Amino acid sequence: MPCGSPHRALRRTAAVVLATSVLTASAVLPASAGPANTKNPAAQHSVRGGVSKQNFYFVMADRFGNGSTANDDGGLGSDPMVSGYDPTRKGFYNGGDLKGLQDRLDYIQGLGTNALWLTPSFKNKAVQGGGQLDNSSAGYHGYWVTDFTQIDPHLGTNAELKTLIDAAHARGMKVYFDIISNHTADVIQYKETSPAPYISKATEPYRTATGEVFDDQDYAGTQDFPALDAGTSFPYTPVVPAPERDVKVPEWLNDPTLYHNRGNTTFAGEDSTYGDFFGLDDLFTENPRVVDGMVDIYKMWIRDFGIDGFRIDTMKHVNDEFWQQFGPRVLSYAKEQGKDEFFMFGEVFDTSKSVTSKYTTKNRMQAVLDFGFQGAARSFASQGSKATGLAGFFAGDDWYTDADSNVYQLPTFLGNHDMGRIGTFIAQDNAGAPDAELLERDELAHELMYFSRGNPVVYYGDEQGFTGAGGDQDSRQSMFVSQVQEYLDDDLLGTASTHASDNFDAQHPLYRKISELAALTSEHPALRDGAQQNRYAADGAGIYAFSRIDAKDQREYLVALNNSETAQTAAIPTYEAKQPFELVYGNAAAEAKSDAQAKLTVTVPPLSAVVYQASGRLAKSEAAPAVVLRKPVTAAGDATRLKVTADVDGNSFHEVTFQARTPGGGWQAIGTDDNAPYQVFHDVSAVEAGTAVEYRAVVLDNAGHTSASEPRSGVVGEPTQPETVTVAGSLNTELGCTEDWQPSCGQASMSYEPAHRLWQLTVPNLPAGHHEFKAALNGSWDENYGAGGEPNGANVVLDHSGGAVTFLYDHASNVISAVTAGQQPAAVSAPGSLNSELGCAGDWMPDCSQAQLALDPLDGIWKLTVANLPAGSYEFKAAINGSWAENYGLGGAANGSNITLNHNGGPVTFRYNPASHLITAG
């Protein structure tokens, strides 16, 4: 068959290749790259702000320091079932307060902290639960709010908060408040039943006060909303016990019609947004009265107390329209109050970047907590996973890039008060290892967090080696002397101390290490907010390396981390050849020099990191590089985003600004990327499906030169899939076709997998040899795609050693490829929100025996058949070898998005293909 004509090849900084080698690859740029323009006003720098240089200390006030015993019981008396105070119980108030925090500001600042983040501190319902000490808990964690205008009396007073904030500001430290808009304390009961299972909107829709059915989504984001009646508008009838009818402040919170009133959430599907969290009263955030009320509450804390920002609880469980109003309104008000660097970040408990990034793009918030980083850091530092997994994680950072924010603003963390501590994970993952190794792994995790992009968060006590039996209450130990037996049994890392004494040791090795890292990144600010470029990753435990470079200073830093238990050496790519480097951190050669191929040979000791700084700045570019856009395609993982990628000639520091316009509109900047591969994931959710959107890219080189690409269009929405796709090529007769290059051969026909939006064909035993092929659509050559997804393009080449091969075709990009499986894993599981239905102890458990797939030796596919999975909306992924160290999601992507299964009930079979990494259910 005819092959496409060759194009002129140009060298460029290119896509990440996850291998034991350079994380760059050559590519082809058409000769039609845009002409140089020395002053294109569209060229911009990648977004940075003061929030990309924060070192957070996240602290639970009740568990830090007891500055005053007078407020231990909150003024409610000695009965713990009334006051919530019992220092012997991990689920009750233990005595810490705001004064205790202020008394220890020297200690906190000594870590290099410049941002103090407090768990929710508003007045709480003191005790909730079953009515007995053993089945109840207190509101020490701050998430059962009754009064949003007052500090909880167990922690102090509003005046003491103001004193703490003023004292922190005097030291140059910012103070962040943990806030809630999803729910209040459990006050509302349901007349019909308790507990109350969730009732869907399809089963029982909302009704107006006059009885008319309506959909609240028709009003979300507007200033209109129907009048409601507690007796007729909801699937359950909300009632409030007389003693609590006026307990909430502000007063509007006592109106039961301002809550969803649909019963308890299962944290999946519709009820994830509308359901009550463990009975907590779930606010009707689609109602503009709730939006306005919440905005007013948090304006007060900014105005009267000088709060510098908010961490927002349970953001994932509030409707998008709420955030689209709340974020811009609160940020605008803060700036009116002189808070130019006011910063908000939300809790979206998900590791899929396609999910978490929508809150900073579509939903107009500034940042989210980086749960994906937590999982990737644990896998690397604690579980000794492949370094390529960490490189693959960072390669997805462009999901966050838009016109006013990017991944550099995200707070990164290693553990927290819900999931557990990094010390716990390390001890669990390395059972039986000596304390010295556990400490080294803990330090390695913190080195990764401080040297990589984002704002590092230290969870209080981690700097003292705190561990614990798990998450939630087991990860909330006090820094002062504890009387909780479960805490007294903990083994702390790096010390002989226990929780039977205070733990404010500034000589603890982790305290000293964190202080050192903070000081180093302050001295070398490129390590805090410089552009981060993937450089190298071992295909196994070993070295992961990346560059950091400041757009103004133009001096490259090379960071190399080794998660192997032996020293490792690698030749790591850099920006320039023959460039001297000097060691600024770690135990390695004091000086080094990149070779003629711009590679720097580095040896990294086991379980440690080294950092080198280039002696000179990058040479200035003489002319702007050529830039060309690839075909914009629907993003895998989110059909409301278009993936737009630019290829740039050369190997230097570049910044690429992407612009978009719809028919009749002007060019609008949609994001600037400062590391290869240069790309954005443009939110087109507000654009009608089928609309053509035109894109262009403008590159800014390190000398201020610019050049622009030719425009290229993409179409919003899922592409219409062809009737058939055939692997047509020189291998067709081996597949059983009557001749080669047969576009209508049934044996070469691919099947469509709707969850992944991919066509696939698995050949169990393709003979060894040199094969060429293309994708032929609808049984003819009228529409066909070759290498790179080009229409009528060059044949795709497969030099095959024999055995199974899987062909994949993506109609969004028109790319067809062939993948072969390596060594079969030891185990494959399907962790997800359905695990408890399978009999696991909980959901998302990669090591649960009931979620394990079995290898079918006949076709090499892993399978699990569930005889009767209850109807519901579920999410799942593929986990390898019983942990999250290696996992695959939508499209077979490593650390990819969760896969959705909308199941009608009955049997279902999960299948995992080790070649494509696709896991399916059907």
Side-chain angles (χ1 to χ4, degrees), residues 844-885:
W844 298 101
M845 296 184 64
D847 57 347
C848 171
S849 59
Q850 292 93 327
Q852 302 299 312
L853 284 67
L855 176 64
D856 185 339
L858 296 179
D859 58 12
I861 304 298
W862 292 74
K863 301 171 183 176
L864 168 66
T865 297
V866 180
N868 188 21
L869 180 66
S873 178
Y874 303 101
E875 294 182 342
F876 65 96
K877 301 176 82 170
I880 308 303
N881 299 331
S883 83
W884 287 113

Side-chain angles (χ1 to χ4, degrees), residues 648-700:
V648 178
D649 186 25
N651 181 35
S652 188
F653 175 68
H654 305 305
E655 297 174 275
V656 178
T657 297
F658 294 86
Q659 294 181 301
R661 68 180 179 187
T662 52
W667 288 110
Q668 298 290 328
I670 58 172
T672 300
D673 190 13
D674 59 10
N675 60 80
Y678 301 102
Q679 57 190 5
V680 292
F681 293 81
H682 183 211
D683 172 33
V684 290
S685 58
V687 181
E688 185 177 352
T691 302
V693 180
E694 195 173 25
Y695 295 95
R696 71 178 179 185
V698 181
V699 62
L700 173 68

Side-chain angles (χ1 to χ4, degrees), residues 213-257:
V213 170
F214 76 99
D215 186 351
D216 59 288
Q217 286 298 308
D218 293 338
Y219 299 90
T222 74
Q223 285 300 306
D224 297 321
F225 208 81
L228 304 180
D229 181 86
T232 59
S233 294
F234 304 96
Y236 290 112
T237 306
V239 294
V240 179
E244 295 185 306
R245 282 179 185 164
D246 298 312
V247 73
K248 296 180 184 178
V249 180
E251 173 59 30
W252 63 266
L253 289 165
N254 294 302
D255 181 352
T257 69

Side-chain angles (χ1 to χ4, degrees), residues 185-209:
D186 183 14
V187 172
I188 295 174
Q189 308 301 311
Y190 296 134
K191 179 180 178 180
E192 291 79 5
T193 183
S194 178
Y198 185 80
I199 299 176
S200 71
K201 293 200 296 181
T203 301
E204 187 62 50
Y206 286 116
R207 298 178 184 273
T208 67

